[in-house]
Amino acid sequence: MGPVRDRVTTDPAADEARTADEAQPAKDPAAPRLHLGANLAALRGHNSAVVLGLLRDAGERGASRTELAARTGLTPQAVSKITARLRAAGLAAEAGRRASTGGKPAAVLRLVPSAAHAVGLHLDRDALTVTLIDLTGAAVATRTAPLAFGAGERAVLDAVTAEVTALLSQAGAAGAPGAVLGVGVAAPGPLDHTAGVLHRVTGFPQWDGFPLCEALGARLGLPVVLDKDTNAAALGLVLRGGAFRGGSFAYLHLGTGLGAGLVLGGAVHRGARTGAGEFGHQVLQLDGPPCPCGDRGCLEVLCLGAVTDGDTARAARLLGIGAANLVRLLDIDLVLLGGRTVLAAPEPYAEGVRAVLAGAAPVAVAPGGGRTVVEGAAELVLAPLFGRAGFTTRPDQPTGTAIGSSGGI
């Protein structure tokens, strides 16, 4: 593939040499601490990541050092040292001053969007979409191509490699500077996101045990992380929509399959084996039609059958029945709908699900439209950089392709 820009690197030794005051929170107990700075030596890079995340949240308005100190609970001296390093790394820049309230006007800092980028890849059963986003989450370039997921690993890897190479070339020609931090892959489940391995993908059991992250990382020369398409979408909704943070919601995705991304207490819930969210394989009809998963009468096969028959009202009602089961089981706050089938008729699906839920939880079509999954895939890469690893709880990959956090920033 074409030349790949240098990655943002880390320097743990330099972090260990940081002065002690950086690790200490401010003494004022009344200071608002929406994002607490960490005080453990083992998390020496966490404070830098939290500050960077706050700058992302601040957007064009930016944030002053005083505001950052108040929101993290870190000392002003610690924040000054952190922001100096962020500026030196090109990740943040001064952008004017706040209006004076009697003292010296405070300098405003903003995130530098073009300092680094992440690739998002959505592998669907019949198509692949790749996007390149900057540090704010804005798309720089996007490509979509047909895909035969059942054609085998070599054909799929060839197609992905070609599209990612073309994407980076397209972005480079448009003058997008900055490091490419890695590739986040959203794929149908089941899979193991910690090991980066696919399992018996519904309808395509031949993928069972395939080390997708390792294989794709070797092709692209970039770190690769993997998650289910619904989990990636849920993560993107949390990180991009502050209103969803701290709450619980279900993202229901109806496209070539049917699955759910679950956010409980503000974090994506995957289960110990990445098995949570197999929403489409709850059995609704014991003697129902066979499902590709091997069971009978699964919600997915019933719902997709209604879609194939052109019976949108029945498909929406079935989706609503599954959603009602989920709401009763987990007491979630909100149901969000997405996927190409829903997006083709958003109002009938939303109204059909609302009718079944009968006010048990609000229902809405997820913001982001057809880009929800692929942009969430890219956020898999960026989350640790912004101190949001708690949203994506994920151990280091044994494949050696793990994406580093912001320890040396």
Side-chain angles (χ1 to χ4, degrees), residues 305-402:
V307 171
T308 300
D309 293 341
D311 193 344
T312 300
R314 177 172 171 76
R317 177 168 174 76
L318 286 164
L319 187 60
I321 291 170
N325 290 341
L326 197 57
V327 169
R328 294 185 186 110
L329 180 66
L330 299 176
D331 192 24
I332 58 176
D333 304 319
L334 174 67
V335 173
L336 295 172
L337 308 179
R340 70 172 75 164
T341 301
V342 167
L343 295 176
E347 282 308 310
Y349 277 99
E351 288 303 320
V353 174
R354 285 191 195 107
V356 178
L357 284 175
V363 178
V365 176
R371 299 179 54 83
T372 302
V373 173
V374 72
E375 290 179 350
E379 296 287 359
L380 291 168
V381 175
L382 295 185
L385 184 69
F386 293 111
R388 305 283 163 73
F391 294 128
T392 78
T393 307
R394 179 178 182 278
D396 289 341
Q397 283 194 34
T399 61
T401 59

Coordinates of all heavy atoms in Angstrom, one line a residue, residues 305-402:
G305 N -37.6 -12.3 7.6 CA -38.6 -12.9 6.8 C -39.8 -11.9 6.4 O -40.2 -11.8 5.3
A306 N -40.2 -11.1 7.5 CA -41.2 -10.1 7.2 C -40.7 -9.0 6.3 O -41.4 -8.5 5.5 CB -41.6 -9.5 8.6
V307 N -39.4 -8.7 6.4 CA -38.8 -7.7 5.6 C -38.8 -8.2 4.1 O -39.2 -7.4 3.2 CB -37.4 -7.3 6.0 CG1 -36.7 -6.4 5.0 CG2 -37.4 -6.6 7.4
T308 N -38.4 -9.4 3.9 CA -38.4 -10.0 2.6 C -39.8 -10.0 2.0 O -40.0 -9.8 0.8 CB -37.8 -11.4 2.6 OG1 -36.5 -11.4 3.2 CG2 -37.8 -12.1 1.3
D309 N -40.8 -10.3 2.8 CA -42.2 -10.3 2.3 C -42.8 -8.9 2.1 O -43.9 -8.8 1.6 CB -43.1 -11.0 3.3 CG -42.8 -12.5 3.4 OD1 -42.1 -13.0 2.5 OD2 -43.1 -13.1 4.4
G310 N -42.0 -7.9 2.4 CA -42.5 -6.5 2.3 C -43.5 -6.1 3.3 O -44.2 -5.1 3.2
D311 N -43.5 -6.8 4.4 CA -44.5 -6.5 5.5 C -43.8 -5.7 6.6 O -43.4 -6.2 7.6 CB -45.0 -7.8 6.1 CG -46.2 -7.6 7.0 OD1 -46.4 -6.5 7.4 OD2 -46.9 -8.6 7.3
T312 N -43.6 -4.4 6.3 CA -42.9 -3.5 7.3 C -43.6 -3.5 8.6 O -42.9 -3.5 9.7 CB -42.7 -2.1 6.7 OG1 -42.0 -2.2 5.4 CG2 -42.0 -1.2 7.6
A313 N -44.9 -3.5 8.6 CA -45.6 -3.4 9.9 C -45.3 -4.6 10.8 O -45.1 -4.4 12.0 CB -47.1 -3.3 9.6
R314 N -45.3 -5.8 10.2 CA -45.0 -7.0 11.0 C -43.5 -7.0 11.4 O -43.3 -7.3 12.6 CB -45.3 -8.2 10.1 CG -44.9 -9.5 10.9 CD -45.4 -10.7 10.1 NE -44.9 -12.0 10.7 CZ -45.4 -12.5 11.8 NH1 -46.3 -11.9 12.5 NH2 -44.8 -13.6 12.3
A315 N -42.6 -6.6 10.5 CA -41.2 -6.5 10.9 C -41.0 -5.5 12.1 O -40.3 -5.8 13.0 CB -40.4 -6.1 9.7
A316 N -41.7 -4.4 12.0 CA -41.6 -3.4 13.1 C -42.2 -3.9 14.4 O -41.6 -3.7 15.5 CB -42.3 -2.1 12.7
R317 N -43.3 -4.7 14.3 CA -43.9 -5.2 15.5 C -43.0 -6.3 16.2 O -42.8 -6.3 17.4 CB -45.3 -5.8 15.2 CG -45.9 -6.5 16.4 CD -47.4 -6.8 16.2 NE -47.9 -7.6 17.4 CZ -48.2 -7.0 18.5 NH1 -48.1 -5.7 18.7 NH2 -48.7 -7.8 19.5
L318 N -42.4 -7.1 15.3 CA -41.5 -8.1 15.8 C -40.3 -7.5 16.5 O -39.8 -7.9 17.6 CB -41.0 -9.0 14.7 CG -42.0 -10.1 14.2 CD1 -41.6 -10.6 12.9 CD2 -42.2 -11.2 15.2
L319 N -39.7 -6.4 15.9 CA -38.6 -5.7 16.5 C -39.1 -5.1 17.8 O -38.3 -5.1 18.8 CB -38.2 -4.6 15.5 CG -36.9 -3.8 15.9 CD1 -35.7 -4.7 16.0 CD2 -36.7 -2.7 14.8
G320 N -40.3 -4.6 17.9 CA -40.8 -4.0 19.1 C -40.9 -5.1 20.2 O -40.7 -4.8 21.4
I321 N -41.4 -6.3 19.8 CA -41.5 -7.4 20.8 C -40.1 -7.7 21.5 O -39.9 -7.8 22.7 CB -42.1 -8.6 20.2 CG1 -43.6 -8.3 19.9 CG2 -42.0 -9.8 21.2 CD1 -44.2 -9.4 19.0
G322 N -39.1 -7.8 20.6 CA -37.8 -8.0 21.1 C -37.3 -6.9 21.9 O -36.6 -7.1 23.0
A323 N -37.6 -5.6 21.5 CA -37.2 -4.5 22.3 C -37.8 -4.4 23.7 O -37.2 -4.1 24.7 CB -37.5 -3.2 21.5
A324 N -39.1 -4.8 23.7 CA -39.8 -4.8 25.0 C -39.2 -5.9 25.9 O -39.1 -5.6 27.1 CB -41.3 -5.2 24.7
N325 N -38.8 -7.0 25.4 CA -38.2 -8.0 26.2 C -36.9 -7.5 26.8 O -36.6 -7.7 28.0 CB -37.8 -9.3 25.4 CG -39.1 -10.1 25.0 OD1 -40.1 -9.9 25.6 ND2 -38.9 -10.9 24.0
L326 N -36.1 -6.7 26.0 CA -34.9 -6.1 26.5 C -35.1 -5.1 27.5 O -34.4 -5.0 28.5 CB -34.2 -5.6 25.2 CG -32.7 -5.3 25.4 CD1 -31.9 -6.5 25.8 CD2 -32.2 -4.7 24.1
V327 N -36.1 -4.2 27.3 CA -36.4 -3.1 28.2 C -36.8 -3.7 29.6 O -36.4 -3.3 30.7 CB -37.5 -2.2 27.7 CG1 -38.0 -1.3 28.8 CG2 -36.9 -1.4 26.5
R328 N -37.6 -4.8 29.5 CA -38.1 -5.4 30.8 C -36.9 -6.1 31.5 O -36.9 -6.1 32.8 CB -39.2 -6.4 30.5 CG -40.5 -5.8 30.0 CD -41.6 -6.8 29.8 NE -42.8 -6.3 29.2 CZ -43.2 -6.6 28.0 NH1 -42.5 -7.4 27.2 NH2 -44.2 -6.0 27.4
L329 N -36.0 -6.6 30.8 CA -34.9 -7.4 31.4 C -33.9 -6.5 32.0 O -33.4 -6.7 33.1 CB -34.3 -8.3 30.3 CG -33.1 -9.1 30.8 CD1 -33.6 -10.2 31.8 CD2 -32.4 -9.8 29.6
L330 N -33.5 -5.4 31.3 CA -32.4 -4.5 31.7 C -32.8 -3.2 32.2 O -32.0 -2.4 32.7 CB -31.4 -4.4 30.6 CG -30.8 -5.6 30.0 CD1 -29.9 -5.3 28.8 CD2 -30.0 -6.3 31.1
D331 N -34.1 -2.8 32.1 CA -34.6 -1.5 32.6 C -33.8 -0.4 32.0 O -33.4 0.6 32.7 CB -34.5 -1.5 34.1 CG -35.3 -0.3 34.7 OD1 -36.2 0.2 34.0 OD2 -34.9 0.2 35.8
I332 N -33.6 -0.4 30.7 CA -32.8 0.6 30.0 C -33.7 1.9 29.8 O -34.9 1.9 29.8 CB -32.3 0.1 28.6 CG1 -33.4 -0.4 27.7 CG2 -31.3 -1.0 28.8 CD1 -33.0 -0.8 26.4
D333 N -32.9 3.0 29.5 CA -33.6 4.3 29.5 C -34.1 4.7 28.1 O -35.0 5.5 27.9 CB -32.5 5.4 29.9 CG -32.0 5.1 31.3 OD1 -32.8 4.8 32.1 OD2 -30.8 5.3 31.4
L334 N -33.5 4.1 27.0 CA -33.8 4.5 25.7 C -33.5 3.4 24.7 O -32.6 2.6 24.9 CB -32.8 5.7 25.4 CG -32.8 6.3 24.0 CD1 -34.1 7.0 23.6 CD2 -31.7 7.3 23.9
V335 N -34.3 3.4 23.6 CA -34.1 2.4 22.5 C -33.8 3.3 21.3 O -34.6 4.1 20.9 CB -35.3 1.5 22.3 CG1 -35.1 0.7 21.0 CG2 -35.6 0.7 23.5
L336 N -32.7 3.0 20.7 CA -32.3 3.7 19.4 C -32.3 2.6 18.3 O -31.8 1.5 18.4 CB -30.9 4.3 19.6 CG -30.8 5.4 20.6 CD1 -29.3 5.8 20.8 CD2 -31.6 6.6 20.1
L337 N -32.8 3.0 17.1 CA -32.9 2.1 16.0 C -32.0 2.6 14.9 O -31.8 3.8 14.6 CB -34.3 2.1 15.5 CG -35.5 1.9 16.5 CD1 -36.8 1.9 15.8 CD2 -35.3 0.5 17.1
G338 N -31.4 1.6 14.2 CA -30.5 1.9 13.1 C -30.4 0.7 12.1 O -31.1 -0.3 12.3
G339 N -29.5 0.8 11.2 CA -29.4 -0.2 10.1 C -30.1 0.1 8.9 O -31.1 0.9 8.9
R340 N -29.6 -0.4 7.8 CA -30.1 0.0 6.5 C -31.6 -0.2 6.3 O -32.3 0.6 5.7 CB -29.4 -0.7 5.3 CG -29.6 -2.1 5.2 CD -29.0 -2.7 4.0 NE -27.6 -2.9 4.1 CZ -26.8 -3.7 3.3 NH1 -27.4 -4.3 2.3 NH2 -25.5 -3.8 3.6
T341 N -32.1 -1.3 6.9 CA -33.6 -1.6 6.7 C -34.4 -0.6 7.5 O -35.4 -0.1 6.9 CB -33.9 -3.0 7.2 OG1 -33.1 -4.0 6.5 CG2 -35.3 -3.4 7.1
V342 N -34.0 -0.2 8.7 CA -34.7 0.8 9.4 C -34.6 2.1 8.7 O -35.6 2.9 8.6 CB -34.2 0.9 10.9 CG1 -34.7 2.1 11.6 CG2 -34.6 -0.4 11.7
L343 N -33.4 2.5 8.3 CA -33.2 3.8 7.6 C -34.0 3.9 6.3 O -34.3 5.0 5.9 CB -31.7 4.0 7.4 CG -30.9 4.1 8.7 CD1 -29.4 4.3 8.3 CD2 -31.4 5.3 9.5
A344 N -34.4 2.8 5.7 CA -35.2 2.9 4.5 C -36.6 3.3 4.8 O -37.3 3.8 3.9 CB -35.1 1.5 3.8
A345 N -37.1 3.0 6.0 CA -38.5 3.4 6.4 C -38.4 3.8 7.9 O -39.0 3.1 8.7 CB -39.4 2.3 6.2
P346 N -37.7 4.8 8.3 CA -37.5 5.1 9.7 C -38.8 5.3 10.6 O -38.9 4.8 11.7 CB -36.6 6.3 9.7 CG -36.8 6.9 8.4 CD -37.1 5.8 7.5
E347 N -39.7 6.0 10.0 CA -40.9 6.3 10.8 C -41.8 5.1 11.1 O -42.2 4.9 12.2 CB -41.7 7.5 10.1 CG -41.2 8.8 10.4 CD -40.9 9.1 11.9 OE1 -41.9 8.9 12.7 OE2 -39.8 9.5 12.2
P348 N -42.1 4.3 10.0 CA -42.8 3.1 10.3 C -42.2 2.2 11.4 O -42.9 1.6 12.2 CB -42.9 2.4 9.0 CG -42.8 3.5 8.0 CD -41.9 4.5 8.6
Y349 N -40.9 2.1 11.3 CA -40.2 1.2 12.3 C -40.3 1.8 13.7 O -40.5 1.2 14.7 CB -38.8 0.9 11.9 CG -38.7 -0.2 10.9 CD1 -38.5 0.0 9.6 CD2 -38.8 -1.5 11.4 CE1 -38.5 -1.1 8.7 CE2 -38.7 -2.6 10.5 CZ -38.6 -2.4 9.1 OH -38.6 -3.4 8.3
A350 N -40.0 3.1 13.8 CA -40.0 3.8 15.1 C -41.4 3.7 15.7 O -41.6 3.4 16.9 CB -39.5 5.2 14.9
E351 N -42.4 4.0 14.9 CA -43.8 4.0 15.4 C -44.2 2.6 15.8 O -44.9 2.4 16.8 CB -44.8 4.5 14.3 CG -44.6 6.0 14.1 CD -44.9 6.8 15.4 OE1 -45.8 6.4 16.2 OE2 -44.2 7.8 15.7
G352 N -43.8 1.6 15.0 CA -44.1 0.2 15.3 C -43.5 -0.3 16.6 O -44.2 -0.9 17.4
V353 N -42.3 0.1 16.9 CA -41.6 -0.3 18.1 C -42.2 0.5 19.3 O -42.5 -0.1 20.4 CB -40.1 0.0 18.0 CG1 -39.4 -0.3 19.4 CG2 -39.5 -0.9 17.0
R354 N -42.5 1.8 19.1 CA -43.2 2.6 20.1 C -44.5 2.0 20.6 O -44.9 1.9 21.7 CB -43.4 4.0 19.7 CG -42.2 4.8 19.6 CD -42.5 6.3 19.4 NE -41.3 7.1 19.0 CZ -41.1 7.5 17.8 NH1 -41.9 7.3 16.8 NH2 -39.9 8.2 17.6
A355 N -45.3 1.5 19.6 CA -46.6 0.9 19.9 C -46.5 -0.3 20.8 O -47.3 -0.5 21.7 CB -47.3 0.6 18.6
V356 N -45.5 -1.1 20.6 CA -45.3 -2.3 21.4 C -44.8 -1.9 22.8 O -45.3 -2.4 23.8 CB -44.4 -3.3 20.7 CG1 -44.2 -4.5 21.7 CG2 -44.9 -3.8 19.4
L357 N -43.9 -1.0 22.8 CA -43.3 -0.6 24.1 C -44.3 0.2 25.0 O -44.2 0.2 26.2 CB -42.0 0.2 23.9 CG -40.8 -0.5 23.5 CD1 -39.6 0.4 23.2 CD2 -40.4 -1.5 24.6
A358 N -45.2 0.9 24.3 CA -46.3 1.6 25.1 C -45.8 2.4 26.2 O -46.3 2.4 27.3 CB -47.3 0.5 25.6
G359 N -44.7 3.2 25.9 CA -44.2 4.1 26.9 C -43.2 3.6 27.9 O -42.7 4.3 28.7
A360 N -42.9 2.3 27.8 CA -41.9 1.7 28.7 C -40.5 2.3 28.6 O -39.8 2.4 29.6 CB -41.8 0.2 28.5
A361 N -40.2 2.8 27.4 CA -38.9 3.5 27.1 C -39.1 4.3 25.9 O -39.8 3.9 24.9 CB -37.8 2.6 27.0
P362 N -38.5 5.5 25.8 CA -38.6 6.3 24.5 C -37.9 5.5 23.4 O -36.9 4.8 23.6 CB -37.9 7.6 24.9 CG -37.1 7.3 26.1 CD -37.8 6.2 26.8
V363 N -38.3 5.8 22.2 CA -37.7 5.2 21.0 C -37.4 6.3 20.0 O -38.2 7.2 19.8 CB -38.8 4.2 20.4 CG1 -38.2 3.6 19.1 CG2 -39.2 3.1 21.3
A364 N -36.2 6.2 19.4 CA -35.8 7.1 18.4 C -34.9 6.5 17.4 O -34.3 5.4 17.7 CB -35.1 8.3 19.0
V365 N -34.8 7.0 16.2 CA -33.8 6.6 15.2 C -32.5 7.2 15.6 O -32.4 8.4 15.9 CB -34.2 7.0 13.8 CG1 -33.2 6.6 12.8 CG2 -35.6 6.4 13.4
A366 N -31.4 6.4 15.6 CA -30.1 6.8 16.0 C -29.6 7.9 15.2 O -29.7 7.8 13.9 CB -29.2 5.6 16.1
P367 N -29.0 8.9 15.7 CA -28.3 9.9 14.9 C -27.1 9.3 14.2 O -26.5 8.4 14.7 CB -27.8 11.0 15.9 CG -27.7 10.2 17.2 CD -28.8 9.2 17.2
G368 N -26.8 9.9 13.1 CA -25.6 9.3 12.3 C -26.0 8.6 11.1 O -25.2 8.4 10.2
G369 N -27.3 8.2 11.0 CA -27.8 7.5 9.8 C -26.9 6.3 9.4 O -26.5 5.5 10.3
G370 N -26.6 6.2 8.1 CA -25.9 5.0 7.6 C -24.4 5.0 8.1 O -23.7 4.0 7.8
R371 N -23.9 6.1 8.7 CA -22.5 6.2 9.1 C -22.3 5.8 10.6 O -21.2 5.8 11.1 CB -22.0 7.6 8.9 CG -22.1 8.1 7.5 CD -21.6 9.5 7.3 NE -20.2 9.6 7.9 CZ -19.1 9.3 7.3 NH1 -19.2 8.9 6.1 NH2 -17.9 9.5 7.9
T372 N -23.4 5.4 11.3 CA -23.3 5.1 12.7 C -22.3 4.0 13.0 O -21.5 4.2 13.9 CB -24.7 4.7 13.3 OG1 -25.6 5.7 13.0 CG2 -24.6 4.4 14.7
V373 N -22.3 2.9 12.2 CA -21.4 1.8 12.5 C -20.0 2.2 12.1 O -19.0 1.9 12.9 CB -21.9 0.5 11.8 CG1 -20.8 -0.6 12.0 CG2 -23.2 0.1 12.4
V374 N -19.7 2.7 10.9 CA -18.4 2.9 10.5 C -17.7 4.0 11.3 O -16.5 3.9 11.6 CB -18.3 3.2 9.0 CG1 -18.9 4.6 8.7 CG2 -16.9 3.0 8.4
E375 N -18.4 5.0 11.7 CA -17.8 6.0 12.5 C -17.5 5.5 13.9 O -16.5 5.8 14.6 CB -18.7 7.3 12.6 CG -18.7 8.0 11.2 CD -19.6 9.2 11.2 OE1 -20.3 9.4 12.2 OE2 -19.5 10.0 10.3
G376 N -18.4 4.6 14.4 CA -18.1 4.0 15.7 C -16.9 3.1 15.6 O -16.1 3.0 16.6
A377 N -16.7 2.4 14.5 CA -15.5 1.6 14.3 C -14.2 2.5 14.5 O -13.3 2.0 15.1 CB -15.5 0.9 13.0
A378 N -14.2 3.6 13.9 CA -13.1 4.5 14.0 C -12.9 5.0 15.4 O -11.7 5.1 15.9 CB -13.2 5.7 13.0
E379 N -14.0 5.2 16.1 CA -13.8 5.6 17.5 C -13.2 4.5 18.4 O -12.7 4.8 19.5 CB -15.2 6.0 18.1 CG -15.9 7.2 17.4 CD -15.2 8.5 17.8 OE1 -14.2 8.5 18.6 OE2 -15.6 9.5 17.3
L380 N -13.3 3.2 18.0 CA -12.6 2.2 18.7 C -11.1 2.5 18.9 O -10.4 2.2 19.9 CB -12.7 0.8 18.0 CG -14.1 0.2 18.0 CD1 -14.1 -1.0 17.0 CD2 -14.5 -0.3 19.4
V381 N -10.5 3.2 17.9 CA -9.1 3.5 17.9 C -8.9 4.8 18.7 O -7.9 4.8 19.5 CB -8.7 3.8 16.4 CG1 -7.2 4.3 16.4 CG2 -8.8 2.5 15.6
L382 N -9.8 5.8 18.6 CA -9.5 7.0 19.3 C -9.9 7.0 20.8 O -9.3 7.8 21.5 CB -10.4 8.1 18.6 CG -10.0 8.5 17.2 CD1 -10.8 9.7 16.7 CD2 -8.5 8.8 17.0
A383 N -10.8 6.1 21.2 CA -11.2 6.2 22.6 C -10.1 6.2 23.6 O -10.1 7.0 24.6 CB -12.2 5.0 22.9
P384 N -9.1 5.3 23.5 CA -8.0 5.4 24.5 C -7.2 6.7 24.5 O -6.8 7.1 25.6 CB -7.1 4.2 24.2 CG -8.0 3.3 23.3 CD -8.9 4.2 22.6
L385 N -7.1 7.3 23.4 CA -6.3 8.5 23.2 C -7.0 9.6 24.1 O -6.3 10.5 24.6 CB -6.3 8.9 21.8 CG -5.4 10.2 21.4 CD1 -4.0 9.9 21.7 CD2 -5.7 10.6 20.0
F386 N -8.3 9.6 24.2 CA -9.1 10.6 24.9 C -9.5 10.2 26.3 O -10.4 10.7 26.9 CB -10.3 11.0 24.1 CG -9.9 11.7 22.8 CD1 -10.2 11.1 21.6 CD2 -9.4 13.0 22.8 CE1 -9.9 11.7 20.4 CE2 -9.1 13.6 21.6 CZ -9.3 12.9 20.4
G387 N -8.8 9.2 26.8 CA -9.1 8.7 28.2 C -10.5 8.1 28.3 O -11.1 8.1 29.4
R388 N -11.0 7.5 27.2 CA -12.3 6.9 27.2 C -12.2 5.4 27.1 O -13.1 4.8 26.7 CB -13.1 7.5 26.1 CG -13.2 9.0 26.1 CD -14.2 9.5 27.1 NE -14.0 10.9 27.4 CZ -14.3 12.0 26.6 NH1 -14.8 11.8 25.4 NH2 -14.2 13.2 27.1
A389 N -11.1 4.9 27.6 CA -10.9 3.4 27.5 C -11.9 2.7 28.3 O -12.3 1.6 28.0 CB -9.5 3.0 28.0
G390 N -12.5 3.4 29.3 CA -13.5 2.8 30.1 C -14.8 2.5 29.4 O -15.6 1.6 29.7
F391 N -15.0 3.2 28.2 CA -16.1 2.9 27.4 C -15.9 1.7 26.5 O -16.8 1.2 26.0 CB -16.4 4.1 26.5 CG -16.8 5.4 27.2 CD1 -16.2 6.6 27.0 CD2 -17.8 5.3 28.1 CE1 -16.6 7.7 27.7 CE2 -18.2 6.5 28.8 CZ -17.6 7.7 28.6
T392 N -14.6 1.3 26.4 CA -14.3 0.2 25.4 C -13.6 -0.9 26.1 O -12.8 -1.6 25.5 CB -13.5 0.7 24.3 OG1 -12.1 0.9 24.7 CG2 -13.9 2.0 23.7
T393 N -13.7 -1.0 27.4 CA -12.9 -1.9 28.2 C -12.3 -3.1 27.5 O -13.0 -3.9 27.0 CB -13.7 -2.4 29.4 OG1 -14.2 -1.3 30.1 CG2 -12.7 -3.1 30.4
R394 N -11.0 -3.1 27.3 CA -10.4 -4.0 26.4 C -8.9 -4.2 26.7 O -8.1 -3.3 26.7 CB -10.5 -3.4 25.0 CG -9.8 -4.2 23.9 CD -10.1 -3.5 22.6 NE -9.5 -4.3 21.5 CZ -8.2 -4.3 21.2 NH1 -7.4 -3.6 21.9 NH2 -7.8 -5.1 20.3
P395 N -8.5 -5.4 27.1 CA -7.1 -5.7 27.4 C -6.2 -5.5 26.2 O -6.7 -5.5 25.1 CB -7.1 -7.2 27.9 CG -8.6 -7.5 28.2 CD -9.4 -6.6 27.3
D396 N -4.9 -5.5 26.5 CA -4.0 -5.4 25.4 C -4.1 -6.7 24.5 O -4.3 -7.8 25.0 CB -2.5 -5.3 25.9 CG -2.2 -4.0 26.5 OD1 -2.9 -3.1 26.2 OD2 -1.2 -3.9 27.2
Q397 N -4.0 -6.5 23.2 CA -4.1 -7.6 22.3 C -2.9 -8.5 22.4 O -1.8 -8.1 22.3 CB -4.3 -7.1 20.9 CG -5.7 -6.6 20.6 CD -5.9 -6.5 19.1 OE1 -5.4 -7.2 18.4 NE2 -6.7 -5.5 18.7
P398 N -3.1 -9.8 22.4 CA -1.9 -10.7 22.4 C -1.3 -10.8 21.1 O -0.2 -11.3 20.9 CB -2.6 -12.1 22.8 CG -4.0 -12.0 22.4 CD -4.4 -10.6 22.6
T399 N -1.9 -10.3 20.0 CA -1.4 -10.3 18.7 C -0.3 -9.3 18.5 O 0.4 -9.3 17.5 CB -2.5 -10.0 17.6 OG1 -3.0 -8.7 17.9 CG2 -3.6 -11.0 17.7
G400 N -0.1 -8.4 19.4 CA 0.9 -7.3 19.2 C 0.5 -6.2 18.4 O 1.3 -5.3 18.1
T401 N -0.8 -6.1 18.1 CA -1.3 -5.0 17.3 C -2.2 -4.1 18.1 O -2.9 -3.2 17.6 CB -2.2 -5.6 16.1 OG1 -3.3 -6.3 16.7 CG2 -1.4 -6.4 15.2
A402 N -2.0 -4.1 19.4 CA -2.8 -3.2 20.3 C -2.5 -1.8 20.0 O -1.3 -1.5 19.8 CB -2.6 -3.6 21.7

